[in-house]
């Protein structure tokens, strides 16, 4: 009881961002997890052989140093003293031995548990045993713990949302007290995400209210290092549970991409130490083409997302190993700003992303999601660069550098992603530039003569916005104009000097774009009109994604 009280008193500390996260994981984790490839078919030799292969094939040297177990490692019962135990048929030398084996080879050792009563695979898990289990893991030499969210029992009158919040904050408090720092990978948001088919509530229809998802993210980005924010990547084809999600593995990758782009503000606000996690790299899955696999890796790197491979690494081809070792793409993932690239534009064929890099360079990533090879031209203005002179553009796959003046032309195969570094003088000011979109409807704020509306994203200049310091928001189609208040709650786009508060906006992790003049929130009205309304709590109609993340302080 007294230890529970200590835990509860540390809750006050949760109101400020976790200062320890930067030291726990100063860059997005890279490594291996068994789940998507092997699910419950895990054992000691799988991890030992994987680690040995990663040392031999250079993945370890390239930075992939986390070896993480997923579900199904425990025995069905706890020990006499109430501790989790490993299944010694699967792990004959025991988990502390495995931890030592990995540490001796400069890997970290990660484990899986679950916030509810039983794991997703029905093994004992940690609800009401958080402190015991954390201490057990520390004793075993664990460096990284993934806490899933299956089979949560509601206690003390808390509802589903509140029980998750209680449990993950409790885990944060427990882990913060340990002498051994552990990366805390949190699956809570996935259980409130747009289309997660809940194991506890199979009758639950597709989620059409994102409020609890947004609210969960609002505490999760401060309680741990990773947010497993939405669906799992679809698992290996021969597994019967593969039918869990419609579509193939490429559709699954795009599904997770589509959730990730809605959440950039959290990673941007946290800075290094917290990462949105769109799940595993499935590098040896046979239904993915080489372009699709490299796209997956390029997009995740543009996001500075965790790069955790789920594959039979000892059996991977030289080509598969080689693309995962692309140093320059890894450097984008591990960049010292830890920024998640945000959306410049989306249309029926291309997804264009951009972010700043530590040395001042601008990153450009372009995905051709269409079914045929195609070219597109990305003006530098869309990347927040006011072109002046020439710029070097390096293709991080072909390694070729070219010189451009005003735009970058890219030609991409079906499902290919081009990823480029644009050299920009560190002194040059780069304005965050790109789509402003409603992360529920996925419709884009569109500038019209005088007005603004939410419309289908088509990638035109009237849907690309420059977000300047002091909260001035200008459409690229008319950069002497800006978004400001009209009469009667309407939002207009007109010529402005930006010096008045009615030209100025603020934006934070709540996702609301708030007028500095009257404190009202920009909202997508019923018919798509952009209007100003009283701010609610994480409403479908008011939560927006902005280029560059959280730039406009409150
Ligand atoms: C360990 O697991 C791997 C992957 O599922 C499997 O191929 C192998 O046969 C297992 N080894 C033992 C000794 O059970
Ligand atoms: C340990 O794992 C083996 C192999 O999956 C399984 O057959 C056995 O039932 C497990 N033992 C216990 C006690 O759960
Ligand atoms: C592990 O790290 C130590 C210290 O940096 C180094 O001396 C050793 O060679 C490394 N071992 C491997 C297998 O990388
Ligand atoms: C959405 O969910 C929130 C939190 O559970 C709830 O307060 C709100 O009333 C819901 N909104 C609608 C329109 O159902």
């Amino acid at each position: 009881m007294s230890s529970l009280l200590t835990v509860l008193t540390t809750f006050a500390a949760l109101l400020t961002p976790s200062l320890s996260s930067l030291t726990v994981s100063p860059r997005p984790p890279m490594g291996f997890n068994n789940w998507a490839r092997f699910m419950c078919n895990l054992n000691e030799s799988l991890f030992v052989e994987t680690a040995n292969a990663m040392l031999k094939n250079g993945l370890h040297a390239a930075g992939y140093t986390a070896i993480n177990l997923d579900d199904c490692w425990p025995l069905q019962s706890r020990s006499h003293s109430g501790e989790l135990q490993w299944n010694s048929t699967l792990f004959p030398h025991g988990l502390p031995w495995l931890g030592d084996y990995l540490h001796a080879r400069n890997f970290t050792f990660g484990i899986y548990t679950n916030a509810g009563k039983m794991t997703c695979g029905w093994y004992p898990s940690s609800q009401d045993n958080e402190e015991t289990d954390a201490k057990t893991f520390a004793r075993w030499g664990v460096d990284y713990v993934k806490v899933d969210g299956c089979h949560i029992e509601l206690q003390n009158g808390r509802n589903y949302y509140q029980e998750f919040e209680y449990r993950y904050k409790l885990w944060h408090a427990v882990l913060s007290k340990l002498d051994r720092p552990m990366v805390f990978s949190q699956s809570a948001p996935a259980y409130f995400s747009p289309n997660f088919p809940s194991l506890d509530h199979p009758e639950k229809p597709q989620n059409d209210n994102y409020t609890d998802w947004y609210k969960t993210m609002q505490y999760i980005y401060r309680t741990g290092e990773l947010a497993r924010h939405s669906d799992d990547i679809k698992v290996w084809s021969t597994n019967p549970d593969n039918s869990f999600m419609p579509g193939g593995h490429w559709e699954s990758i795009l599904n997770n991409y589509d959730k990730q782009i809605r959440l950039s503000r959290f990673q941007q606000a946290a800075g290094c130490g917290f990462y949105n996690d769109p799940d595993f790299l499935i590098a040896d899955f046979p239904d993915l083409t080489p372009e699709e696999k490299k796209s997956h890796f390029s997009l995740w790197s543009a996001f500075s997302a965790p790069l955790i491979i789920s594959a039979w690494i000892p059996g991977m081809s030289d080509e598969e190993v080689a693309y995962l070792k692309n140093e320059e793409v890894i450097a984008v993932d591990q960049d010292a700003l830890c920024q998640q690239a945000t959306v410049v534009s989306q249309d029926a064929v291309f997804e264009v992303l951009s972010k700043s890099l530590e040395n001042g360079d601008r990153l450009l990533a372009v995905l051709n999601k269409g079914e045929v090879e195609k070219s597109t031209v990305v003006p530098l203005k869309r990347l927040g660069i006011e072109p002046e002179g020439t710029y070097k553009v390096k293709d991080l796959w072909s390694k070729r550098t070219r010189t451009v003046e005003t735009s970058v032309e890219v030609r991409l195969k079906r499902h290919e992603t081009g990823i480029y570094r644009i050299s920009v003088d560190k002194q040059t000011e780069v304005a965050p530039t790109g789509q402003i979109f409603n992360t529920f409807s996925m419709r884009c704020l569109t500038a019209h003569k005088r007005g603004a509306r939410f419309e289908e994203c088509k990638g035109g200049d009237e849907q690309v916005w420059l977000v300047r310091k002091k909260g001035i928001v200008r459409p690229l189609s008319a950069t002497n104009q800006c978004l400001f208040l009209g009469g009667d709650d309407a939002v207009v786009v007109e010529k402005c000097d930006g010096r008045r508060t009615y030209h100025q906006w603020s934006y934070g992790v709540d996702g609301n774009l708030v007028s500095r003049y009257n404190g009202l929130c920009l909202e997508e009205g019923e018919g798509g009109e952009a209007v100003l309304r009283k701010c609610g709590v994480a409403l479908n109609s008011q939560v927006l994604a902005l280029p560059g993340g959280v730039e406009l302080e409150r």
Side-chain angles (χ1 to χ4, degrees):
M1 192 63 193
S2 66
S3 64
L4 181 63
L5 282 176
T6 332
V7 162
L8 291 174
T9 52
T10 61
F11 273 14
L14 295 170
L15 298 174
T16 49
S18 158
L19 293 173
S20 64
S21 54
L22 185 61
T23 51
V24 178
S25 189
R27 294 292 179 275
M30 298 170 63
F32 167 79
N33 177 297
N34 61 283
W35 185 256
R37 182 63 166 81
F38 296 103
M39 295 186 84
C40 284
N41 299 315
L42 78 181
N43 56 46
E44 182 179 290
S45 54
L46 171 62
F47 295 99
V48 166
E49 287 178 42
T50 294
N52 292 344
M54 291 169 85
L55 287 168
K56 198 156 158 234
N57 66 18
L59 284 173
H60 177 274
Y64 296 90
T65 54
I67 299 276
N68 298 342
L69 276 61
D70 214 284
D71 200 354
C72 309
W73 60 264
L75 276 187
Q76 284 297 348
S77 57
R78 288 178 177 266
S79 70
H80 292 305
S81 47
E83 294 173 349
L84 289 170
Q85 313 178 82
W86 61 85
N87 176 334
S88 54
T89 309
L90 300 178
F91 296 94
H93 293 93
L95 291 186
W97 176 90
L98 181 58
D100 288 346
Y101 185 91
L102 296 171
H103 290 145
R105 289 155 184 81
N106 294 345
F107 285 98
T108 60
F109 175 37
I111 206 160
Y112 168 101
T113 188
N114 179 80
K117 284 283 179 191
M118 300 294 275
T119 70
C120 300
W122 295 100
Y123 289 83
S125 78
S126 298
Q127 189 167 13
D128 297 326
N129 284 288
E130 288 83 358
E131 193 164 3
T132 305
D133 293 352
K135 285 182 172 163
T136 302
F137 296 156
R139 219 177 50 246
W140 293 352
V142 165
D143 309 291
Y144 183 128
V145 59
K146 171 177 171 181
V147 180
D148 212 341
C150 280
H151 310 125
I152 291 229
E153 182 185 280
L154 307 189
Q155 296 179 3
N156 294 338
R158 291 185 286 265
N159 66 23
Y160 193 64
Y161 169 84
Q162 290 162 340
E163 193 67 38
F164 269 83
E165 182 176 21
Y166 177 81
R167 292 295 155 187
Y168 281 81
K169 286 185 173 176
L170 180 57
W171 265 104
H172 169 80
V174 163
L175 293 173
S176 304
K177 277 200 311 180
L178 295 177
D179 293 333
R180 190 179 183 86
M182 280 183 209
V183 173
F184 180 23
S185 165
Q186 310 164 98
S187 299
Y191 290 81
F192 300 91
S193 75
N195 49 6
F196 193 82
S198 164
L199 295 174
D200 299 308
H201 302 280
E203 76 290 352
K204 208 173 89 176
Q206 185 150 313
N207 182 9
D208 62 1
N209 179 348
Y210 292 6
T211 298
D212 288 343
W213 189 42
Y214 298 143
K215 281 171 62 193
T216 301
M217 285 298 303
Q218 284 176 29
Y219 69 84
I220 284 294
Y221 92 101
R222 301 194 300 190
T223 50
E225 284 69 42
L226 271 61
R228 274 289 305 113
H229 54 65
S230 55
D231 295 316
D232 286 357
I233 282 283
K234 192 181 176 90
V235 299
W236 181 255
S237 319
T238 54
N239 197 296
D241 286 335
N242 199 41
S243 57
F244 194 47
M245 246 181 282
H249 290 103
W250 176 244
E251 286 71 23
S252 171
I253 290 166
L254 288 186
N255 176 50
N256 288 23
Y257 166 90
D258 172 68
K259 304 305 173 299
Q260 177 91 6
I261 58 174
R262 304 174 199 226
L263 303 173
S264 51
R265 61 187 177 279
F266 297 103
Q267 189 164 323
Q268 245 71 322
C272 288
F274 168 81
Y275 316 97
N276 289 322
D277 181 3
D279 215 16
F280 307 127
L281 296 174
I282 45 180
D284 68 344
F285 282 38
D287 67 334
L288 294 173
T289 66
E291 285 75 28
E292 289 170 340
K293 293 178 191 181
K294 285 157 74 182
S295 273
H296 190 185
F297 173 59
S298 303
L299 294 167
W300 269 221
S301 294
F303 290 143
S304 281
L307 300 177
I308 309 287
I309 302 164
S310 198
W312 171 234
I313 290 179
M316 279 195 325
S317 69
D318 291 346
E319 291 73 25
E320 286 159 350
V321 173
Y323 89 77
L324 289 167
K325 288 199 299 192
N326 184 322
E327 282 176 17
E328 287 176 285
V329 178
I330 291 174
V332 165
D333 183 78
Q334 301 284 302
D335 184 78
L337 297 182
C338 303
Q339 280 196 10
Q340 174 174 328
T342 55
V343 183
V344 172
S345 66
Q346 296 180 292
D347 61 29
V349 178
F350 294 107
E351 299 278 322
V352 181
L353 301 169
S354 184
K355 70 170 178 180
S356 291
L357 296 162
E358 196 272 335
N359 70 347
D361 288 357
R362 218 38 204 156
L363 181 82
L364 166 65
V366 186
L367 162 66
N368 173 1
K369 59 191 168 176
E371 295 307 311
V372 293
E373 183 166 337
K374 213 173 167 189
S375 304
T376 187
V377 174
V378 182
L380 293 180
K381 280 188 171 183
R382 288 201 167 193
L383 307 179
I385 301 167
E386 197 55 60
E388 221 182 277
T390 58
Y391 296 85
K392 287 205 175 353
V393 177
K394 181 159 191 191
D395 179 329
L396 304 186
W397 285 113
S398 76
K399 311 287 185 194
R400 280 195 290 268
T401 299
R402 57 191 142 140
T403 303
V404 305
E405 286 183 357
T406 56
S407 61
V408 185
E409 183 172 359
V410 301
R411 183 162 189 85
L412 297 166
K413 292 184 196 147
R414 166 188 185 268
H415 300 179
E416 186 181 16
T417 295
I419 184 163
Y420 313 87
R421 225 181 223 274
I422 302 168
S423 302
V424 180
D425 190 322
K426 219 173 174 174
Q427 276 28 279
T428 309
E429 200 200 328
V430 175
T433 304
Q435 281 184 185
I436 294 177
F437 60 101
N438 176 328
T439 60
F440 173 74
S441 72
M442 297 305 277
R443 282 195 284 264
C444 276
L445 185 67
T446 309
H448 287 284
K449 277 211 167 63
R450 297 189 55 78
R453 296 178 45 77
F454 285 87
E455 296 176 0
E456 186 191 338
C457 301
K458 290 183 175 164
D461 276 354
E462 64 285 351
Q463 290 182 338
V464 179
W465 301 81
L466 282 87
V467 179
R468 294 279 185 193
K469 292 234 163 59
K470 291 217 219 114
I472 318 299
V473 179
R474 301 183 187 277
L476 203 57
S477 55
T479 48
N480 63 340
Q481 304 200 338
C482 73
L483 195 64
F484 71 107
L485 316 186
D488 298 338
D489 303 344
V491 173
V492 300
V493 180
E494 278 188 354
K495 194 154 183 276
C496 69
D497 61 19
R499 278 194 294 254
R500 321 247 171 199
T501 56
Y502 48 80
H503 297 154
Q504 296 171 359
W505 303 83
S506 71
Y507 181 74
V509 286
D510 58 13
N512 293 152
L513 192 58
V514 180
S515 165
R516 287 201 206 259
Y517 179 70
N518 59 15
L520 296 178
C521 275
L522 188 70
E523 172 168 312
E524 176 176 355
E526 294 276 313
E529 63 280 10
V531 292
L532 281 167
R533 295 268 189 276
K534 191 163 175 288
C535 299
V537 177
L539 299 182
N540 283 354
S541 57
Q542 291 182 345
V543 175
L544 311 177
L546 253 64
V550 181
E551 294 284 332
L552 314 176
E553 289 142 29
R554 277 284 144 79

